[in-house]
Amino acid sequence: MEEIRIIIASDSVGETAELVTKACTSQYKTEGNALDIVRLPYIENESNINEVVSLALEQKSIVVYTLVKPEMRLYLKEKLEENNIENVDIMGPLMSILSDELKEAPLNEPGNIHKLDEDYFKKIEAIEFAVKYDDGRDPRGLPKADIVLIGVSRTSKTPLSQYLAHKRYKVMNVPLVPEVAPPEGLFEIDPKKCIALKINQKNLNAIRRARLIQLGLSDDANYAKDDRIEEELQYFEDVVSKIGCPVLDVSDKAIEETANDIIKIITQQNR
């Protein structure tokens, strides 16, 4: 079988066009060595385009291209058609439709998808950070965190950490328990990035009782008793007073509302 050659031409790195091309070629039983895919990235001017056309003529290649700048896309299209070279414009047709539907001109900036990728990886990094440093597991996370949440048990520290991680914040949370001294690093970090989660006794009692029942335990365990909760809340006040950090009452708030309040506090603190 005669080898089929495909040139990927892009004004960025060409990953998008290559992925689409490979997705298409994977639908055929043709042996892999019968397909030759060459990627030509960073096509920025007419000289680069002329090189693509010359190579395509020389190798009798199909040209698959992703050029976002309309003048470059039009020039390449004209040159390919002049030379009867088989070609596929991956982005042009859809961008034309989107421009009509959105009533908006495209940015025409090559490589924007990689900016999105970078944002995605930042989110993944933040999520992994929240998992790694959940529940005060490793005090070495304190200086690395963007936000440190502190509070007694059942103040939504973990779900808040995960929610904020999806907003690209690296969050560590530290539980406050009278019998366990907080890590020393908690008193050494900038108090501006520490948020204390406060809750009233009545709400905390109800939440803990419900949690015990959910676990199949008796709801009159010490964990949910008023005197134990009073002790923990007093300990919370003592630690917060020592740190000098902002305090946020989460008694009657949803996770999303609390998270937005935390972001506002952190943003104002960083100004």
Side-chain angles (χ1 to χ4, degrees), residues 14-252:
E15 287 180 352
T16 301
E18 184 169 359
L19 283 171
V20 172
T21 300
K22 287 183 175 178
C24 291
T25 58
S26 70
Q27 298 300 312
Y28 298 89
K29 296 179 180 179
T30 304
E31 294 180 9
N33 55 14
L35 295 168
D36 180 30
I37 299 175
V38 177
R39 194 195 299 185
L40 299 180
Y42 305 114
I43 305 300
E44 299 174 341
N45 50 51
E46 292 183 359
S47 176
N48 296 150
I49 288 176
N50 292 337
E51 292 173 8
V52 171
V53 174
S54 295
L55 184 61
L57 282 170
E58 181 186 328
Q59 298 187 347
K60 297 180 180 179
S61 302
I62 300 167
V63 176
V64 178
Y65 59 98
T66 51
L67 301 179
V68 298
K69 293 183 178 178
E71 65 275 14
M72 290 293 99
R73 192 164 62 244
L74 179 60
Y75 183 77
L76 176 57
K77 182 179 177 62
E78 290 175 348
K79 287 295 180 182
L80 292 170
E81 290 179 351
E82 282 176 15
N83 292 278
N84 296 314
I85 298 171
E86 293 284 354
N87 66 87
V88 179
D89 176 5
I90 289 180
M91 296 180 67
L94 179 55
M95 288 177 64
S96 179
I97 293 171
L98 289 173
S99 294
D100 290 340
E101 293 294 323
L102 297 172
K103 303 294 187 292
E104 179 183 338
L107 297 173
N108 296 327
E109 296 177 358
N112 270 3
I113 191 170
H114 298 291
K115 295 177 184 177
L116 294 176
D117 288 344
E118 184 178 343
D119 187 59
Y120 169 78
F121 286 118
K122 282 183 179 179
K123 179 168 73 173
I124 295 301
E125 184 181 3
I127 292 171
E128 291 176 345
F129 185 94
V131 172
K132 182 177 181 180
Y133 296 107
D134 183 43
D135 210 27
R137 289 175 188 165
D138 187 347
R140 289 176 296 181
L142 287 167
K144 303 174 188 176
D146 299 317
I147 301 171
V148 177
L149 303 178
I150 63 172
V152 299
S153 175
R154 311 315 298 175
T155 48
S156 300
K157 296 184 297 301
T158 295
L160 278 169
S161 296
Q162 287 295 327
Y163 186 94
L164 290 165
H166 280 80
K167 301 291 185 182
R168 288 91 178 150
Y169 290 97
K170 292 181 180 178
V171 185
M172 177 174 178
N173 69 77
V174 180
L176 298 181
V177 184
E179 293 78 15
V180 181
E184 283 299 319
L186 185 61
F187 304 101
E188 297 170 357
I189 62 170
D190 185 349
K192 290 181 180 179
K193 72 175 185 178
C194 184
I195 303 290
L197 304 178
K198 181 179 180 179
I199 188 170
N200 66 49
Q201 184 174 335
K202 181 181 177 181
N203 285 42
L204 185 55
N205 178 276
I207 291 170
R208 288 190 176 183
R209 286 167 67 92
R211 179 58 175 164
L212 288 169
I213 293 172
Q214 185 182 36
L215 294 172
L217 303 173
S218 171
D219 64 353
D220 64 351
N222 188 52
Y223 179 66
K225 288 183 177 178
D226 286 334
D227 54 353
R228 172 61 186 183
I229 290 176
E230 286 179 12
E231 180 186 4
E232 289 189 34
L233 293 179
Q234 183 56 57
Y235 180 69
F236 167 84
E237 295 290 346
D238 294 342
V239 173
V240 171
S241 177
K242 186 175 180 181
I243 296 173
C245 62
V247 179
L248 190 59
D249 194 330
V250 300
S251 300
D252 298 298

